[in-house]
Amino acid sequence: MKKALIYVFSGTGNTMLVAGLYKKFLTDYETTIYQIRMEGKKFLPYPDAEEFDLIGFGHPVYGFNVPLPMNDFCNQLPELKEKKKAFVFKTSGEGLIWNMYSSQKIIAALTKKGYDFCTDRHIVMPYNMIFRHSPEMVKSEFIYANALVKMNAEQLMRGYRENVKIGMFRRWFVPIIRIVWIYGKLQSPFMKINKAKCTRCMRCVRNCPMQNITFNSSKGKFKFGTNCALCVACSFGCPQNAISIGLLNGWKVNGAYHIENTAHDKSIAFPYFNENLKGIKRWLYYKYYRKADSLLIENNIDIEKFEI
């Protein structure tokens, strides 16, 4: 049986959840998922891409850019001895076309190393910043995510290819917004833990993919390092909502969405992203989901009847 490998950077879990969908729908492959995490100043040992037939790269979108750890991980991967089929997918909390530009930097770097990219996909998942998504939004997002990943997996298995490169004229602003890479390293003094709320469960320490949070048991103090990726896994996953993320705290979303359970709840209406969308939500989602509908119809997938 052919083998697939998916390298994933994921903070709050959305991108990892989508990677699991690829594993589910890539039925022609035995799929391994590797989550990118740091150990000190190095990445944890990772599977060798040479041993696989298909390589995937998954990441969330931060300010229309790939996260810095994903960029660094891809840059340090060795050159392949022979070309390998590859694909990329990214997750974000809104359907704006600008999110499609986020993977261009790693696609360019990895292409030089022998990765032959066949497809590039953008999957909308619930926000972990800006505002909390309603159960109706979460259900629609996950059902569509299943359908779109199934479509993409089937395309990859039958050898489908598309142009994954986007000209600089259309993405000129992406390097400018890359200032988020710098801010992640500078925001440490602004990160705070409310001692009155904190129960010392250490979930923030365990969940940080960068090992950027440490706890001094003798002093009873938490310390945030200078290697923050802005993934907000710490604040999103804090059961006591005890973590302040500094200048971005007003956009903080706290607490798990229980995405799969919500998507299976028949009492929640579906679909949500329809003609009734108004205001900011129409701008953020309407075009994305109408394009998704067209793609799914072209590939004989009826979203109204799709079962997860």
Side-chain angles (χ1 to χ4, degrees):
M1 191 175 190
K2 293 183 290 185
K3 296 170 66 178
L5 169 64
I6 305 177
Y7 293 122
V8 183
F9 180 77
S10 185
T12 58
N14 282 345
T15 313
M16 182 60 71
L17 190 56
V18 173
L21 297 181
Y22 274 98
K23 182 173 182 176
K24 173 183 175 181
F25 291 119
L26 284 170
T27 53
D28 289 352
Y29 293 85
E30 179 184 336
T31 301
T32 297
I33 298 174
Y34 167 82
Q35 185 170 6
I36 297 168
R37 295 179 66 88
M38 299 292 290
E39 185 174 37
K41 295 185 178 181
K42 295 182 179 180
F43 292 104
L44 288 172
Y46 53 87
D48 184 356
E50 297 282 4
E51 300 175 4
F52 297 83
D53 306 290
L54 176 67
I55 317 297
F57 295 85
H59 67 84
V61 180
Y62 297 161
F64 307 124
N65 276 272
V66 65
L68 180 58
M70 186 72 185
N71 180 74
D72 291 346
F73 177 81
C74 292
N75 282 335
Q76 60 87 51
L77 285 175
E79 186 173 336
L80 293 171
K81 295 176 183 177
E82 59 181 47
K83 278 191 173 184
K84 298 280 186 179
K85 285 175 54 179
F87 65 98
V88 65
F89 64 93
K90 73 286 304 266
T91 62
S92 74
E94 77 288 310
L96 299 177
I97 185 63
W98 304 323
N99 290 302
M100 279 301 299
Y101 309 155
S102 60
S103 301
Q104 291 297 295
K105 188 171 175 58
I106 62 171
I107 287 175
L110 292 167
T111 298
K112 294 177 182 178
K113 296 173 183 281
Y115 293 88
D116 181 18
F117 283 89
C118 301
T119 65
D120 179 4
R121 289 289 179 269
H122 171 213
I123 306 295
V124 170
M125 293 288 280
Y127 263 145
N128 53 30
M129 291 284 283
I130 304 182
F131 66 85
R132 190 171 187 85
H133 287 195
S134 68
E136 291 79 13
M137 294 174 71
V138 172
K139 180 172 182 173
S140 277
E141 286 160 349
F142 193 59
I143 291 176
Y144 268 97
N146 272 263
L148 291 168
V149 171
K150 182 177 189 295
M151 178 191 75
N152 189 205
E154 290 174 348
Q155 290 173 331
L156 290 165
M157 289 187 291
R158 66 171 184 262
Y160 173 85
R161 303 183 65 86
E162 64 190 8
N163 177 23
V164 300
K165 296 180 180 179
I166 300 171
M168 182 56 73
F169 179 74
R170 293 185 61 193
R171 56 184 176 91
W172 60 269
F173 62 92
V174 171
I176 298 173
I177 305 176
R178 210 165 282 154
I179 191 173
V180 296
W181 290 4
I182 301 172
Y183 177 73
K185 294 182 177 297
L186 297 178
Q187 75 159 359
S188 176
F190 305 105
M191 302 281 285
K192 305 292 182 183
I193 292 182
N194 186 322
K195 294 181 179 180
K197 289 184 177 181
C198 178
T199 61
R200 310 295 191 270
C201 71
M202 300 301 153
R203 189 174 298 183
C204 58
V205 176
R206 294 194 303 270
N207 287 351
C208 179
M210 307 303 293
Q211 284 196 339
N212 193 52
I213 308 172
T214 56
F215 179 70
N216 187 321
S217 57
S218 62
K219 296 182 179 181
K221 291 184 178 181
F222 289 90
K223 181 180 179 181
F224 293 88
T226 59
N227 202 29
C228 178
L230 297 179
C231 74
V232 298
C234 57
S235 63
F236 182 82
C238 178
Q240 303 301 319
N241 195 15
I243 300 177
S244 168
I245 56 174
L247 300 180
L248 300 177
N249 204 57
W251 282 355
K252 182 178 71 171
V253 172
N254 174 261
Y257 282 101
H258 306 294
I259 294 173
E260 293 179 275
N261 289 340
T262 300
H264 283 97
D265 189 337
K266 294 183 179 180
S267 69
I268 299 173
F270 172 84
Y272 175 82
F273 300 101
N274 52 35
E275 297 292 337
N276 295 324
L277 282 177
K278 291 181 174 62
I280 188 70
K281 289 183 180 178
R282 190 174 183 90
W283 179 62
L284 291 175
Y285 303 105
Y286 186 77
K287 287 186 177 180
Y288 173 88
Y289 281 106
R290 297 299 72 77
K291 182 178 180 181
D293 287 336
S294 296
L295 289 172
L296 293 171
I297 289 170
E298 289 175 10
N299 287 271
N300 300 312
I301 297 176
D302 185 345
I303 193 65
E304 295 281 356
K305 298 179 181 178
F306 190 83
E307 296 185 4
I308 60 174

